[in-house]
Amino acid sequence: MNRDIFIRNLTDDKIVMNPTGRNADELSVEEFEKNYEAFFDMIFRIADTDISSVTGYGEFNEDNKAPYSSVTEFIKETFNENNEGYWKNWKDMFETTFLKKEYFEEVLGKALQYAQFCEGERYLVNNNTFFSYMVVNEDGKAYCTDWGRAGIMDFMVDFAILDLNKPYLLVPEKLYEYAKKKNIEIQNFKERFLCMAYFKGIDTLRWHASIDDITSCKSIVKSINALEGRMNQL
């Protein structure tokens, strides 16, 4: 089944699959400050989907199945160098690119350390919430435009991607206050955010290293290295 049709059926047509509006990447810092709750509302609206008919964790495969039995397995298998396709034998990159083995293993270890706090946290996620893949309509509502990497995992991943994309917008700090304001209980907030942020951080770092985008690699490393300190300030 086509991915968009699958998502539309899963969400009972509550998700707009072909939204129109201004590209969210064009928003200034001041505009995001005024409108950030629209992005948070969108992520929680997606996460509110009934997924009782779907088992497992991870990105949906070609059969629209979440193939992993746990968050830990999902994270580990994402970096399995024996996977077919683009990432086959990817660890050769340690010798030829910006990505270094010691740093990768250090950050992966942190993601796996915190994975226990994400186990059981199963939600529909877009998993591609970079600002260039979102739009804001005339009413100020935010929408995702690309569902190709959607799956079942902790909804914190969608917030972590927002932050990874533009850490100066202080997404987790705003989310922490937003949740208190809206009386939304997010248990193990810091641990869950860190797990997803470390995981997506090194996954995105791996991609930019593979295309020799050194500027982005340095920016991502800076963001990853600041995460623990930022969380400790909450």
Side-chain angles (χ1 to χ4, degrees), residues 51 57 69-71 115-123 153-154 192:
I51 58 167
Y57 297 84
S69 62
S70 67
V71 175
Q116 60 180 307
F117 296 99
C118 296
E119 300 293 2
E121 301 293 347
R122 298 180 64 255
Y123 303 89
M153 59 194 87
D154 194 329
R192 289 166 58 188

Side-chain angles (χ1 to χ4, degrees), residues 5-20:
I5 294 175
F6 172 75
I7 296 294
R8 190 163 60 241
N9 291 343
L10 187 64
T11 60
D12 293 327
D13 289 324
K14 294 178 182 178
I15 301 297
V16 178
M17 302 306 302
N18 297 293
T20 59

Side-chain angles (χ1 to χ4, degrees), residues 38-48 129 155 158-159 162:
F39 291 88
F40 293 5
D41 291 343
M42 175 196 70
I43 292 173
F44 279 112
R45 186 166 61 249
I46 295 168
D48 193 45
T129 49
F155 63 71
D158 282 344
F159 291 105
L162 282 181

Side-chain angles (χ1 to χ4, degrees), residues 160-210:
I161 294 171
L162 282 181
D163 187 62
L164 178 65
N165 190 184
K166 297 187 178 185
Y168 53 85
L169 296 179
L170 303 178
V171 168
E173 291 86 346
K174 288 182 172 64
L175 175 60
Y176 191 78
E177 295 303 320
Y178 169 96
K180 290 195 294 185
K181 174 183 173 182
K182 299 282 188 177
N183 293 316
I184 300 172
E185 183 179 6
I186 305 178
Q187 293 185 345
N188 303 311
F189 180 102
K190 298 177 185 179
E191 293 86 355
R192 289 166 58 188
F193 185 87
L194 285 171
C195 176
M196 293 292 101
Y198 283 134
F199 165 55
K200 296 306 295 189
I202 53 172
D203 194 22
T204 306
L205 176 61
R206 178 176 65 159
W207 161 251
H208 284 282
S210 77

